[in-house]
Amino acid sequence: MYVAVKGGEAAIEAAHAWLAAARRGDPAVPELGLAQIEQQLSLAVDRVMAEGSCHDRGLAALAIKQARGDLIEAAFLLRAYRTTLTRFAAAEPLETGRMRVLRRISATYKDLPGGQVLGPTFDYTHRLLDFALAAEGAPPPPPAPEAEASGAPMPRVSEILAEEGLMRREAPGEAAPPPDLTREPLRFPAPRALRLQALARGDEGFLLGLGYSTQRGYGNAHPFVAELRLGEAEVVLHPPELGFPISIGEVTVTECQMVNQFAGAGDAPPQFTRGYGLALGHCERKAMAMALVDRALLARELGEEVAAPAQDEEFVLLHADNVEATGFVEHLKLPHHVDFQSELEKLRSIRARFEAERAAPRAEAAE
Amino acid sequence: MIRRAILKAIAIPGHQIPFGAREMPLPYGWGTGGIQVTASILGPSDVLKVIDQGADDTTNAVSIRRFFARTAGVATTTRTAEATVIQTRHRIPERPLREDQILVFQVPMPEPLFRLEPRLAETRRLHALADYSLAQVKLYEDIAQQGESASSYNHPVLVNGRYLMSPSPIPGFDNPKLDRNPALLLFGAGREKKIYAVPPYTPVKSLDFDDHPFAPMRAPHPCALCGSTAHYLDEIVTDDRGGRMFVCSDTDACADAAAGAPR
Amino acid sequence: MRPGFADPVLDAQAAFRAVMEAMARPGRVLRLAAPPAPPPPLAPAAAAALLALADAETPLWTDAPEEARGWIAFHSGAPLLAAPGEAEFLLATAAMPPLGLLRAGSDEAPQEGATLILQVEALRPGAGWRLSGPGIAEEHRLAVCGLPADFPAQWAANAARFPRGVDLVLAAGDALAAFPRTLRIEEGG
């Protein structure tokens, strides 16, 4: 006789034990240390920090180890952890214009104040598997050549354009504090501050696909990378009881500003508009895709036709979060036999009526 | 913040209240809304029961019950009669609920119109206007094409004559239990960040037409374990030659009936 | 400064459950086991409801005098407002602010209607008004002492704009009852 699925508890315990063993892999292979992950899988760490909305490289490395390298699972672990943290204060807006730059490129000018700084990039590597890396125990690579930082200010390209009056001026932040996606649900129409928050923690792959679609005609974008910069930005706190701002450290961020043409509408003259991307850590692809999507989502405010998926803010923002998306897609693994049973009975009932009706005319014809 | 949302949900029966759902240690879609609602109401004198598909021993029910036993130190039970708070996914217990009980539903998609209109800004407007013609037209088309409503679970209900509401994916069989239930019914959707409620004794009517009244369905068999002809049944495939057996989905009600306990 | 809840977690939970139960079964009178002992003129049940629900994110209006205001601000963290019409929560210890002047929300967001915690002289179940609506099987009876004479008319006007409206928590001593906007009131007979 069938007995209903008993022993769920034992099964879960056993599954967790198996998972722990699978995570460790062959015990003959040395265990991966968090420092190794943090140092040598640093872009994975950065992605997990960005999508986990929590700037802590050590915790991100731990999450990656625990998640067996599943970066969405790792972002989820980090998010679940960050929810439990007390919020002490809100920092002042990051002054990314004054960041200590590790990389800064502009595609719109051959040269510009502060210059082009290539930095640590895959851009001009030839994508050939480097079998030398397979040989473990090799000495570390020789230090990269160094030069003295110029110290010259690196003005933003968007500012250079704005001085000429060619860049759309964005309304400065309202006096009211910006909405906080981590404390209140998304609402529509979403103000840009809320959109950017959602995009900043959004899934890199989803934003990549959407950003790409705007380049292929779904959203009519003509983007230029005005500037892409990677560097250390100072985090400044202004405790009211202190009365003056203090620096509490630096965070690595990637910022992308895209310029796009805009035909003008109403009183607005033809001008450039800006798409903005910012991500924790070194996440160029993410920041660029975010900037493309941010610009596409400006359509409503600019009076452009909203026709492409990337311009549809409900569609984009409600589906960009990979922790939400993976939960709901994967929940289909949970038992659904009660609803399925009702579907079975429903289909049987509808089929019986269908068969009866199909048989009826024939019976009439035979009479 | 969740508590404030719950109070407003009770004051406006069937209306979805947005709330700032947080990441939980369980994935979205696996009961985070129900867990947040349960956690916000649970007290030291409560006795918690968790069911999934009607059963206490399904893996997700086990996992959520363990979560609360560990983090809240709350007493748990599998007996519907002993519970003060019951968190459920996809079923309403067979045993009639009492005034001193609260049923917390895990809700995947709180918006009853989402298959007909996915835009939340638009459905919010339709709820404000109490314009449910989309759902009525869909039901009419179903009946015209196939003779009956096409929805077998998660069939929308009208709460207190005003708000169209998703009862969560319970089978239509359970819909009548929502009507004038003595227990407080709370609904939590974590990923969609909505909470809603049906206060005790509130009229809840399944969407239908006078000439095609809503008809709850169950498999036309007795339970193979307890013999019940009144409980909702799971269909179990016993071999690859069409063999089937039917057993109660509500494991507690089944055990009671098998033991001949008075209901 | 007098203390708030003796046990901030458990007492707040118990107070919330009482308010929830009161809101779910309108007109039923619940007694709080462990309310705080607030400075006068705050009623313990009103103070308990407020501390269980208000926090730094809920703009609050109250007519309470200075010491009580300080107690509320300290223990709830809620920002105090001068105008009742803007408040999400209100605590009235003396005259009831006219319901029509309070935040009622919109048809799309009726949950933004205010919650008014109103101190009254006494709550007597089993007599007085006949209450019906969601949460009530047949009818609940409740006599409330200390409401303005035109309260039934104000309440009817509040109910008529459903789903917009204001919800009420009535507090007397360590007892409370609630009137959600769906409640219908008929004069007793």
Side-chain angles (χ1 to χ4, degrees):
Chain A
M1 170 70 80
Y2 168 85
V3 182
V5 198
K6 293 279 180 206
E9 189 128 7
I12 290 174
E13 296 281 359
H16 290 177
W18 196 346
L19 173 66
R23 174 188 298 125
R24 178 61 183 88
D26 182 352
V29 176
E31 185 181 354
L32 203 50
L34 295 191
Q36 291 170 313
I37 296 173
E38 202 186 314
Q39 292 296 315
Q40 297 173 36
L41 298 177
S42 57
L43 296 184
V45 167
D46 286 345
R47 179 169 179 183
V48 167
M49 289 198 311
E51 293 171 8
S53 295
C54 183
H55 193 285
D56 188 313
R57 305 188 63 80
L59 290 177
L62 171 60
I64 291 168
K65 179 174 179 175
Q66 187 178 336
R68 305 173 64 192
D70 178 335
L71 299 188
I72 293 182
E73 179 73 18
F76 177 19
L77 287 167
L78 208 51
R79 289 250 199 115
Y81 175 78
R82 100 186 269 293
T83 326
T84 64
L85 300 176
T86 311
R87 176 170 307 197
F88 295 112
E92 300 292 301
L94 290 185
E95 284 282 0
T96 52
R98 292 216 305 262
M99 68 165 62
R100 206 150 51 80
V101 164
L102 303 174
R103 168 163 163 76
R104 186 264 199 134
I105 51 167
S106 168
T108 51
Y109 292 102
K110 184 172 184 184
D111 200 3
L112 69 170
Q116 310 258 14
V117 180
L118 216 44
T121 174
F122 292 125
D123 283 356
Y124 304 102
T125 63
H126 295 152
R127 269 58 167 205
L128 303 167
L129 273 179
D130 181 358
F131 291 98
L133 288 174
E136 289 175 34
E146 287 183 21
E148 199 63 32
S150 78
M154 286 194 183
R156 288 245 189 60
V157 172
S158 50
E159 284 305 315
I160 297 170
L161 289 167
E163 274 165 29
E164 207 182 328
L166 293 180
M167 184 62 131
R168 173 174 173 261
R169 277 287 174 196
E170 288 155 359
E174 302 125 34
D180 184 345
L181 183 64
T182 66
R183 311 205 136 200
E184 47 194 285
L186 273 171
R187 53 188 153 89
F188 299 100
R192 194 176 186 190
L194 199 59
R195 298 202 300 260
L196 289 170
Q197 286 172 40
L199 297 178
R201 52 164 41 193
D203 181 71
E204 179 174 313
F206 181 77
L207 296 182
L208 176 67
L210 279 175
Y212 176 45
S213 73
T214 69
Q215 291 178 278
R216 294 195 64 265
Y218 290 87
N220 196 27
H222 309 279
F224 294 93
V225 173
E227 196 173 2
L228 178 68
R229 48 167 81 190
L230 162 72
E232 316 281 348
E234 201 174 26
V235 180
V236 175
L237 212 60
H238 201 146
E241 62 272 24
L242 220 56
F244 55 87
I246 49 167
S247 171
I248 58 167
E250 290 183 331
V251 291
T252 304
V253 293
T254 309
E255 183 187 61
C256 178
Q257 306 216 28
M258 296 262 189
V259 288
N260 270 268
Q261 250 188 54
F262 170 52
D267 289 345
Q271 57 192 320
F272 289 122
T273 54
R274 177 169 70 154
Y276 186 77
L278 182 81
L280 294 179
H282 188 182
C283 299
E284 287 184 30
R285 188 187 297 122
K286 164 70 174 280
M288 293 177 72
M290 176 175 168
L292 291 172
V293 176
D294 170 54
R295 172 58 187 85
L297 290 176
L298 278 174
R300 172 171 50 82
E301 277 136 88
L302 293 175
E304 296 172 332
E305 187 192 3
V306 174
Q311 295 169 319
D312 182 331
E313 69 173 13
E314 270 209 42
F315 179 79
V316 172
L317 302 183
L318 284 174
H319 302 112
D321 190 299
N322 56 22
V323 177
E324 291 177 4
T326 199
F328 200 45
V329 167
E330 295 199 50
H331 108 285
L332 293 170
K333 290 182 284 193
L334 287 177
H336 282 78
H337 54 256
V338 162
D339 4 345
F340 186 70
Q341 180 61 31
S342 63
E343 285 281 272
L344 275 176
E345 295 302 330
K346 175 60 78 174
L347 188 57
R348 283 169 183 154
S349 162
I350 292 171
R351 271 294 279 274
R353 182 178 282 110
F354 177 82
E355 304 291 349
E357 279 169 10
R358 199 165 59 174
R362 243 183 275 135
E364 280 163 24
E367 276 169 15
Chain B
M1 169 263 308
I2 295 177
R3 288 174 172 170
R4 292 194 291 267
I6 290 173
L7 288 191
K8 289 301 174 193
I10 293 169
I12 314 166
H15 171 63
Q16 303 164 52
I17 316 285
F19 79 110
R22 308 289 166 88
E23 275 88 3
M24 301 297 288
L26 275 77
Y28 283 124
W30 297 53
T32 57
I35 288 171
Q36 288 178 82
V37 169
T38 298
S40 69
I41 63 173
L42 218 51
S45 57
D46 279 312
V47 180
L48 177 69
K49 172 182 164 87
V50 182
I51 50 174
D52 188 335
Q53 314 294 300
D56 300 90
D57 55 8
T58 38
T59 39
N60 203 43
V62 168
S63 165
I64 292 173
R65 190 165 57 240
R66 265 162 49 126
F67 173 75
F68 278 112
R70 238 183 238 166
T71 58
V74 70
T76 61
T77 182
T78 60
R79 312 268 306 160
T80 303
E82 290 168 6
T84 58
V85 176
I86 303 172
Q87 180 169 327
T88 180
R89 179 168 169 264
H90 298 189
R91 276 306 314 271
I92 297 176
E94 306 288 3
R95 170 185 281 272
L97 299 174
R98 300 183 310 259
E99 283 200 352
D100 63 338
Q101 295 180 310
I102 299 170
L103 187 58
V104 178
F105 293 77
Q106 300 174 202
V107 181
M109 291 299 282
E111 176 48 63
L113 298 170
F114 85 95
R115 286 185 203 285
L116 307 169
E117 174 51 72
R119 282 161 206 287
L120 298 179
E122 178 61 12
T123 53
R124 198 175 57 191
R125 196 181 69 81
L126 295 176
H127 283 293
L129 299 170
D131 178 352
Y132 299 126
S133 50
L134 278 176
Q136 282 154 343
V137 167
K138 168 72 169 64
L139 182 60
Y140 176 81
E141 286 174 354
D142 285 351
I143 292 172
Q145 280 167 19
Q146 50 196 33
E148 59 188 271
S149 158
S151 74
S152 58
Y153 63 93
N154 206 354
H155 186 86
V157 293
L158 197 65
V159 179
N160 202 32
R162 175 58 179 80
Y163 279 102
L164 195 72
M165 184 188 93
S166 160
S168 86
I170 56 172
F173 177 84
D174 282 342
N175 271 28
K177 298 176 189 167
L178 296 164
D179 186 38
R180 296 178 192 279
N181 196 306
L184 171 62
L185 312 178
L186 299 175
F187 298 78
R191 188 180 40 76
E192 296 286 332
K193 302 175 177 60
K194 297 279 168 54
I195 284 174
Y196 52 100
V198 176
Y201 304 112
T202 302
V204 177
K205 188 175 184 334
S206 298
L207 194 70
D208 66 0
F209 293 116
D210 290 344
D211 53 348
H212 276 89
F214 178 78
M217 283 181 158
R218 74 184 276 284
H221 305 277
C223 169
L225 298 177
C226 75
S228 169
T229 54
H231 296 167
Y232 191 75
L233 299 175
D234 290 341
E235 177 171 335
I236 293 166
V237 177
T238 52
D239 56 42
D240 57 1
R241 298 179 305 280
R244 297 281 189 278
M245 70 181 289
F246 293 85
V247 296
C248 292
S249 101
D250 183 333
T251 44
D252 177 59
C254 189
D256 271 359
R263 277 183 38 90
Chain C
M1 173 92 52
R2 296 189 187 208
F5 283 127
D7 185 325
V9 174
L10 289 182
D11 291 349
Q13 189 277 337
F16 166 71
R17 270 294 273 277
V19 177
M20 184 178 85
E21 182 70 10
M23 198 62 86
R25 301 176 196 279
R28 193 167 282 185
V29 176
L30 290 110
R31 272 181 202 290
L32 292 173
L42 300 185
L50 189 78
L51 294 194
L53 295 171
D55 61 25
E57 291 170 5
T58 50
L60 174 78
W61 173 90
T62 181
D63 61 359
E66 200 49 42
E67 190 198 353
R69 293 173 72 84
W71 186 88
I72 290 168
F74 179 80
H75 288 295
S76 74
L80 294 179
L81 300 182
E86 301 294 310
E88 180 173 345
F89 274 87
L90 302 98
L91 172 56
T93 60
M96 181 180 93
L99 298 182
L101 296 184
L102 307 185
R103 223 168 79 171
S106 62
D107 284 337
E108 287 198 4
Q111 68 276 7
E112 288 170 7
T115 304
L116 167 61
I117 302 170
L118 181 62
Q119 294 189 188
V120 295
E121 289 156 28
L123 296 167
R124 296 205 182 92
W129 286 334
R130 299 178 180 283
L131 309 179
S132 59
I136 301 172
E138 299 297 335
E139 69 172 23
H140 286 167
R141 307 241 2 213
L142 183 70
V144 185
C145 307
L147 286 177
D150 69 343
F151 180 81
Q154 286 199 43
W155 188 254
N158 184 54
R161 55 187 172 167
F162 188 86
R164 301 169 64 237
V166 172
D167 306 302
L168 228 59
V169 176
L170 303 170
D174 61 355
L176 60 79
F179 286 7
R181 62 192 79 176
T182 48
L183 182 74
R184 289 186 297 276
I185 300 178
E186 287 171 68
E187 301 288 347

